[in-house]
Structure formats: C-alpha cells, structure tokens
Amino acid sequence: MALTPAVKLEPVSLREIVGEGVRWASGTDRDTLGTGIDCFDRALEGGLPTGVLCELVAPSPSSGSQTMLLRLLEMARRRRCFAALVDGSDSFDPQTSPPELLEHLLWVRCRSLNQALQAADTLLRDENLGMILIDLRECGEWSLRRARSSVWYRLQRLGGKRSAWVVICTPRSIVPSSQIRLALTGRLSLEQSDDPSREIAESLTFDALRLRKQEMGDFPQMIQAG
Amino acid sequence: MYAVVDIPRFALQAVSRMEEGLVGKPIVLVDASLAKPSVIDCSVAAERLGVFSGLSLPQAVARCPEIIVRYRSEKAEASAGRALFDCAYSLSPQVEETYLGVCSIGLDGVNRSGLDERCEEIVFALQGLGLKGRMGISTTPDLALLVARESKRVMVVGGDLSQGRGGCPQRSSKMEFGTAACGQSHGGSRSLKAFLDSLSLVAAEPSENLHSILAQWGIHSAGAFVGLPREEVGKRLGKEGLDFWDRLSGRDERPLRVSALPEYYRESLDFEYEINVLEPLFFIIRRFLDSLCLRLRRAALVAESLDLELRLADIQLDDGERVESARLSLKIPDPNCDADALFSLLSIRLENLDTDSAIVGIGLEIYPVERSENQLGLFETSLKDPHRFSQTLAQLAGIVGPDNVGRPVVEADGRPDGVKLERLPSTVPPANSVGGTDSRGMALRRFRPPLDADVRTRDRRPVWFRCSRAGGAIGAFKGPWAHSGHWWEAGGWNRLEWDVELRTGGVFRLVKERSQWMVEGMYD
C-alpha cells in the first residue's frame, strides 16, 4: 500500500489567505499615550499603547511609582476618558493629588491581593474605562509570587481585547504576561519636595526590561495544510 | 366615554403572579383567616377538575389530589392593585379604583384615535406584570364594566373612536339608547343594542327579587329589559327597576372617585414558606421592579437608589443574637427606570449575599429623583454605557464592599486622610487646567493605619526612626509643621509633621501626635 506523502505545513499569513479585500485592524491602529516624560516615551517608542499589559516595577522606596500613576491619570484626564485605580493595599492618597485628577477617577480600595485581582478582572471587562491602573506595589512580594500565572494571563487577554491603557505597578518583576516591563531606576529626594509636580514626574528615569513587540503585532499567523 | 380594566379572579391572580410556574396549573385560593378553610377562588384548570368556590379544602383535595393550595394575601393583592392602577393611569389621569381588580378610567380629553390599540397595549403590559386582564369601553362606567366582563381582551360598545379628542362629558354621556349608539363604528365598536341583546340578565347583576320578576315576565336578556318603556318599568318595578333600567341604557352616569398616583415606590410581600435559594427570590424581585419602574415612568421619575429588605426566619444565633432582617442598599450610578438594568444590578449584589437564615419576606423600595436630561458638551467626559458601568460597580461593591468604591473627594476641613467616596458621575466636565503649574510637591503613598515608629531625636529633631516597613538614620528633614483642627471637639487632631529622608534612600512623612510617633506614608 502506497503511503500518502506527508502533509507539508508552511506558515501563511491570514492576509494571504483572505486576500486584500478586507480592512485590517493592525497593531499600528493602537492608540498611544504620550506621557511627556522623555525617558518613558523614548523607551516605549512614542508612548504607552492601548490593549497592552504594562508592568511598572518600582523596586526601591520613593522610586516615583505614585508620581508616575498620577501622571498617567493626568494624561487620561486630558484624553477625556474615565480611569480606574485598583489600589491593592489601600495606599492612594487623594490629599496629595491634584483635585482635577480625581474627577474622572474610580478608586477601588482593596484589602488584599485577591480582592485587587478580582476587581481588576471585573474592570477590564467594562469598556467605559479608558485607563486601568492596578497598584500592587505594597501588596507584598511573597503574596504576589503566590498568585497563579493564569491570573496574570487572563488579565493580559482581557486587556488585549480592550482599547484601554492597562498598567500594573509591582515591587519586583512578577507579571509573566506583561508585554511591556519598565523599571523605575531613580529615587525621589527631599530636595524635590517643593518642586512642581510636573518637574518631579519629568525627572523620573526608567529601564525597559521587556518589550514584546511581536505580541503587540498585527494579525495572527495561520498554519495551512499544503 | 369610559374605559374599565377588569382582572378576573383577581385574588388568585395576585397570588399566583408572585410565583414562577403556576400558570395553567390547578390552584385553589384559601382564606387562612377562616376557622374552616374553604376555597374562595380557583383556577380554570381546577374548575375543569370539578373544584369550585365554596368547597372545603378537604373536598377540593379529594376531587383533585394534585391541586396547589395557596393562601389569600392582602399584600399580594395590594401590589397587584397598584400595578393595575399604574397601567390604567397610562391612558388617562382620571382613574378610579372601583374595587379590587377593577379600575374605571374617564376618557374626557383623551385622543380617541387609536384608543383601542392603546387599550391593547395596556392589556399586554398587564400580562407582562403577571395579570391577565380585559378592557371594555362604553358610554358610562357601569356599562364599560359590563362590556369588560364580556370581552376577551378589548371591546368597544356604543362609542365612536374616530371622533378625535373627546369633548365635554355631557356630549358623550347624553347618547340615547338606539340612536347615537347604533351601528358599528370605526375602531371595531359594537352598537349598545346588539351588545345588550347578547348580554344575559344575570350578567347585568339585578337583585334577586328583580331577577325573579323579570324571569316571570319572560325577560332573559338585558336588551329585552331595556326595550321596555321607561315609564312603564317605573310604574311596575319602582325605583329599583328604574335605577336598573337607567344603568343598562347608559342614562345613569355616575361620577368617578378619581385617585391620585401613589407617591411611594415600595413593594412588600410575606412568603407562605421559607425561601433558601435565589431563583424564587429573583422572580419576585423582578415582578416588583417591573411594577415600580412602570410607576416611575408614569410619574416621569428615575430611580436614584434601591433599598432591599430580606426578612429572615426567626432563629437565634450561637452568640444569642437575633437577626430579623438583612438589608441591601444600592446607589444607581446613572439614575434610570429600566427594570432590566436595575434587576441585573440587584442580582449581582444578591449573588454575593449570605443570610443567617431562610427568607420569609421581602420589601423593595426605590428612592426616585427627577430625570435630568442634559445636552452633553463637546469636551465632556461621559460613560459609553452607563448601564454596564452600573453592573461593574455592583460587582465591585460585592468584592470590596460598597463603601470602598467611588470617586475620591477630599474633605474641606483638611483632616489627615480626610477623604470620602462619592458616586462617579456619568459625565465629567472638561478640566480647565490639567497638570498646571499650581500643583507642587511629591505624591504620598499612605500607610493605613499609620505605622507606629521608634524615633530618636537630637535637639528636638528626629535623627533616626524605625517602623515595620522602613528605618535607619535620617539624612535630611524638613519641618516640623504644626497641623491641628477641630481640637475643641471629639475627633479633632493636633500634630507635628516632618518630612524625612533616610540616608539609604526613601522619603517618609513622620508624625508626632500626643507623644506618639507614627510613619504616615512614603513619598513616592
């Protein structure tokens, strides 16, 4: 009995299969949020894209993570979209935040990491929110490491379906599914305590630890039987 | 012209609408207040099996073993009566609650064109609320009631619905029998004569004495009786006969006792049995919301908040405490009167609710506000889908508690950590200056509650501190700043604050209050 030849598999893009008669929602359609912080925008080649899970690592005390979150809230306010802050350890201080940044903000005060992850999961399913900030900086590294990786991947998938900016602030590199991971490298000093908030934010420095451009790419590839 | 909405077997329908799956089943209604419970009403299915009103309960069960027995409920009847009134109110504000299950509506000033279609809508709306009703339209309230009882859904007798808007009451009420009412009019109305000819005398409810006399005369239909000369009827039957003749001929038009739309939005029900699963509870809540939202729409209001009370079975907990009820309050982010949206909000919250014992009663109250319709500005921030956002908020409230979600608002008195949470509005006006130069200083990451600290001082200045999160030698500091307020009353504060920077890095806020040192937060 003659054997049938082995099926030859070759990667073919969806564009080749479907043809050119359709309009493609490509990665370049993602909205990008410029923060005005040179180091941040340069690291991300223009700014923070929507639909991407960004992990902001703040390893040392007073590294400026709260300042960065406020800066992102300011940008969301300018873009006229509602924002949510999932406060994993109930540490956000509205008294030191400019009042105009609180008008469009939904503050979710959590008492545990589990609550914060559940709240984030719920918020990521709501298309009313243009920005979702998940602050887990004070949640404790031990409990963060115990969180199942499937939880992080679910958050990433939910974020990928949405045209929202999603940022998770952590004390260490923990989120395995983040497409972007930036680490705050500087430290705030007492000398800056009287400076304008804008200047303090612009003085922040970042290291890009991860930029998974392929995951932020255009369309899926398919394997077609030859 | 008048319309009458009639709900046959009202007491039975009022009870059965509060329970899922009773439609088409043999049900009997029993009055629990009687010493020997007897059947006061029964469903059509029960009638087919030989059950009728007046039987004792054992007799009814003997005839039909699978019969469902339910007690009469005043609260259920009141709730159904309000639903009926709300539906009737959609046609005209002149609504009389004639008696339980019957509402009479004055149609003066009501646009007659398409009136029968609007009546059909009312019957349909009643069906949505679990009440099978029927409507009759005629020249007097009493005739309209007789017409309603003979109709399947909507029947018009002796009126012309093509007249446009109804005029003065005299013009419509003075229609003489056999003249204006003759012939089929536009809108499918029957003539009064044809209707009365087909109406049996018993259905017109004469007194027993009158009925027996008329039966001896060979008069068995209302039409035959009205065909007699009025004067001769008066001579032979006296005032009672004349009144009956006037009622049937449409000559007697009594005024309506018009009721006002109730200004409370509350429904309540006590169950015959204990409920310990959510499904029957959801069914009743949905019924309540349908009725309440209908009433809100009639009054052009929207729901701002909900208050749900679940009355619990009387049990004593291990610690000796008795819990009588569980309450659930819900603020609606985008006030509306959409029963679907409100139900989904409530159901989400209820899924996370645990009660100590089974539920024996329920009360639902809606606090309404006037609807505010604003033109959105070009630069305002507004929610894309307020209903979806309401659901999200309800889910979040279930996860972190209702007091831990909302928009932060700083209290005006400057109290340390003085923040309250408000409802996030669905529309936010544009900010005049976002991130302007006015804002100065670093953002604080607050420790809640503040951490107790050991502090060493030199020349009244902190030089070293340690708390559970950080500690070490202080390299630089700013302060102290005295901060006090409301010290003349309980809950006041009087403290000194320092901003300190550790030599190893990290800027913290150090606070001394009543000789107690605390670390309030970290600048981040």
Side-chain angles (χ1 to χ4, degrees):
Chain A
M1 192 172 106
L3 292 171
T4 53
V7 175
K8 188 183 173 186
L9 298 176
E10 64 175 299
V12 178
S13 76
L14 197 61
R15 187 185 294 273
E16 287 173 31
I17 298 167
V18 178
E20 295 295 329
V22 291
R23 185 178 173 276
W24 292 87
S26 67
T28 51
D29 286 347
R30 292 179 192 278
D31 196 2
T32 306
L33 184 75
T35 59
I37 302 172
D38 280 347
C39 191
F40 185 90
D41 292 345
R42 222 179 314 118
L44 297 181
E45 298 171 1
L48 183 65
T50 55
V52 167
L53 191 64
C54 174
E55 183 182 8
L56 186 66
V57 182
S60 53
S62 299
S63 53
S65 61
Q66 198 77 0
T67 305
M68 188 61 213
L69 294 183
L70 285 180
R71 183 69 166 194
L72 290 169
L73 284 179
E74 182 188 328
M75 292 301 134
R77 185 79 174 102
R78 284 189 179 169
R79 292 289 190 99
R80 301 203 304 273
C81 62
F82 283 95
L85 172 64
V86 180
D87 195 355
S89 54
D90 193 16
S91 60
F92 179 63
D93 182 41
Q95 285 182 323
T96 51
S97 309
E100 65 267 18
L101 300 190
L102 306 178
E103 288 184 5
H104 69 311
L105 175 65
L106 181 73
W107 183 22
V108 186
R109 306 174 71 170
C110 304
R111 303 287 178 193
S112 66
L113 177 65
N114 192 33
Q115 278 189 358
L117 292 175
Q118 280 186 52
D121 190 287
T122 304
L123 287 165
L124 280 166
R125 294 168 197 273
D126 191 332
E127 62 180 17
N128 288 291
L129 299 160
M131 176 179 283
I132 296 156
L133 306 175
I134 306 161
D135 186 3
L136 308 177
R137 169 70 177 76
E138 299 294 320
C139 277
E141 204 177 322
W142 183 75
S143 60
L144 282 169
R145 293 214 180 276
R146 285 193 64 194
R148 282 177 300 174
S149 60
S150 60
V151 174
W152 304 116
Y153 279 101
R154 189 166 68 241
L155 293 183
Q156 186 243 316
R157 292 286 184 269
L158 288 170
K161 291 176 187 169
R162 299 270 321 284
S163 57
W165 295 285
V166 187
V167 177
I168 301 183
C169 185
T170 55
R172 293 278 182 274
S173 302
I174 279 170
V175 182
S177 58
S178 61
Q179 290 113 318
I180 296 173
R181 181 179 290 155
L182 297 175
L184 282 154
T185 51
R187 270 190 176 176
L188 300 180
S189 70
L190 195 59
E191 289 172 2
Q192 294 175 284
S193 63
D194 292 330
D195 291 352
S197 305
R198 183 173 45 83
E199 286 182 17
I200 296 173
E202 286 168 2
S203 72
L204 297 177
T205 53
F206 300 86
D207 265 354
L209 304 181
R210 180 188 286 174
L211 280 175
R212 287 181 177 164
K213 287 187 180 178
Q214 202 171 0
E215 288 187 20
M216 295 184 262
D218 290 354
F219 33 79
Q221 298 282 312
M222 290 186 72
I223 305 295
Q224 189 192 24
Chain B
M1 289 286 282
Y2 294 87
V4 166
V5 194
D6 175 42
I7 310 288
R9 303 172 198 267
F10 178 73
L12 182 70
Q13 285 205 52
V15 171
S16 58
R17 73 189 277 264
M18 291 296 179
E19 208 172 325
E20 199 172 7
L22 290 186
V23 179
K25 298 225 172 121
I27 315 165
V28 291
L29 198 66
V30 174
D31 194 344
S33 62
L34 299 176
K36 285 187 178 178
S38 62
V39 175
I40 55 172
D41 207 347
C42 59
S43 63
V44 176
E47 268 183 352
R48 284 198 200 107
L49 296 167
V51 180
F52 53 87
S53 301
L55 286 181
S56 68
L57 192 52
Q59 284 174 323
V61 174
R63 289 180 180 222
C64 178
E66 66 270 22
I67 206 154
I68 300 167
V69 181
R70 289 288 175 266
Y71 287 116
R72 186 176 185 176
S73 165
E74 282 184 12
K75 281 190 175 176
E77 285 175 26
S79 172
R82 282 192 294 271
L84 170 62
F85 183 87
D86 295 336
C87 284
Y89 201 84
S90 65
L91 200 59
S92 160
Q94 306 164 56
V95 181
E96 175 197 71
E97 290 174 286
T98 311
Y99 49 84
L100 273 178
V102 174
C103 274
S104 304
I105 310 163
L107 299 179
D108 296 336
V110 174
N111 193 349
R112 302 279 170 81
S113 61
L115 183 62
D116 46 351
E117 287 164 15
R118 276 178 282 155
C119 290
E120 282 278 358
E121 285 170 13
I122 290 175
V123 174
F124 187 73
L126 280 169
Q127 215 167 339
L129 295 170
L131 294 168
K132 197 174 175 187
R134 53 201 182 183
M135 286 190 75
I137 300 172
S138 194
T139 51
T140 69
D142 295 329
L143 273 178
L145 177 60
L146 292 176
V147 173
R149 284 179 179 165
E150 294 300 310
S151 76
K152 290 269 192 294
R153 287 177 70 86
V154 179
M155 188 193 281
V156 185
V157 168
D160 186 358
L161 300 188
S162 65
Q163 287 175 5
R165 195 168 291 277
C168 62
Q170 285 79 11
R171 196 182 68 187
S172 59
S173 65
K174 293 294 181 188
M175 285 193 294
E176 289 296 327
F177 171 74
T179 55
C182 278
Q184 288 285 329
S185 66
H186 180 77
S189 81
R190 294 173 65 186
S191 78
L192 183 57
K193 185 173 185 314
F195 170 72
L196 291 177
D197 284 342
S198 64
L199 184 70
S200 74
L201 203 61
V202 182
E205 296 180 337
S207 67
E208 271 187 33
N209 182 35
L210 198 58
H211 182 245
S212 64
I213 294 171
L214 293 176
Q216 286 170 13
W217 290 0
I219 291 175
H220 300 290
S221 74
F225 175 67
V226 173
L228 299 173
R230 185 173 184 272
E231 292 75 17
E232 299 303 321
V233 169
K235 279 179 194 170
R236 287 164 176 78
L237 298 175
K239 186 174 182 303
E240 188 189 2
L242 270 183
D243 288 346
F244 188 54
W245 195 93
D246 288 347
R247 189 158 70 86
L248 287 183
S249 64
R251 200 180 167 106
D252 178 26
E253 184 186 349
R254 66 175 177 82
L256 295 181
R257 301 182 303 278
V258 174
S259 305
L261 196 66
E263 289 182 359
Y264 57 90
Y265 301 90
R266 186 173 55 246
E267 294 285 354
S268 169
L269 187 69
D270 294 322
F271 306 134
E272 286 181 25
Y273 46 88
E274 295 181 354
I275 284 183
N276 49 19
V277 288
L278 278 177
E279 281 72 21
L281 200 63
F282 281 164
F283 184 80
I284 293 165
I285 288 173
R286 181 65 211 221
R287 276 271 183 269
F288 282 174
L289 282 174
D290 284 340
S291 300
L292 292 171
C293 287
L294 180 69
R295 198 176 312 157
L296 285 174
R297 281 196 291 276
R298 297 287 166 265
L301 295 171
V302 288
E304 188 194 32
S305 58
L306 298 172
D307 201 356
L308 180 72
E309 182 196 13
L310 301 172
R311 291 186 283 279
L312 304 178
D314 188 21
I315 61 158
Q316 196 163 1
L317 301 182
D318 295 339
D319 54 3
E321 187 189 358
R322 281 184 187 278
V323 182
E324 291 182 349
S325 65
R327 283 188 175 276
L328 188 68
S329 295
L330 194 65
K331 283 189 176 177
I332 316 296
D334 179 43
N336 64 79
C337 56
D338 183 358
D340 287 334
L342 298 180
F343 177 70
S344 60
L345 283 181
L346 261 180
S347 55
I348 287 167
R349 288 292 300 278
L350 278 173
E351 280 167 4
N352 295 311
L353 185 77
D354 282 329
T355 57
D356 295 313
S357 60
I359 296 161
V360 294
I362 183 173
L364 178 65
E365 181 159 15
I366 287 182
Y367 299 98
V369 288
E370 287 187 8
R371 186 192 296 270
S372 60
E373 298 281 1
N374 294 326
Q375 172 100 30
L376 290 180
L378 276 176
F379 303 106
E380 283 178 343
T381 308
S382 57
L383 291 172
K384 292 176 188 169
D385 184 356
H387 292 331
R388 177 71 183 90
F389 191 63
S390 303
Q391 291 176 12
T392 302
L393 284 186
Q395 286 174 323
L396 290 173
I399 296 168
V400 297
D403 299 332
N404 290 321
V405 190
R407 178 171 72 165
V409 177
V410 177
E411 288 183 9
D413 60 1
R415 175 187 306 276
D417 201 16
V419 180
K420 58 185 175 184
L421 287 175
E422 288 185 349
R423 190 175 66 194
L424 187 67
S426 56
T427 307
V428 176
N432 293 326
S433 61
V434 180
T437 52
D438 295 344
S439 170
R440 282 180 176 271
M442 295 181 287
L444 186 72
R445 188 180 279 280
R446 200 174 267 279
F447 301 144
R448 292 188 176 94
L451 305 174
D452 289 340
D454 292 330
V455 179
R456 288 180 199 158
T457 58
R458 188 181 301 151
D459 300 332
R460 296 185 174 181
R461 292 170 179 175
V463 292
W464 180 91
F465 82 89
R466 179 162 297 282
C467 68
S468 60
R469 297 250 186 128
I474 294 171
F477 72 89
K478 282 187 178 179
W481 293 282
H483 185 195
S484 65
H486 288 269
W487 44 264
W488 57 90
E489 60 185 11
W493 67 95
N494 190 2
R495 53 180 7 207
L496 291 173
E497 294 177 0
W498 279 268
D499 289 342
V500 297
E501 183 176 1
L502 291 175
R503 281 184 187 160
T504 52
V507 186
F508 295 85
R509 181 186 287 179
L510 212 54
V511 173
K512 186 181 183 186
E513 189 166 16
R514 294 191 191 92
S515 73
Q516 172 68 43
W517 286 93
M518 292 174 291
V519 179
E520 199 167 56
M522 175 180 72
Y523 289 101
D524 188 24

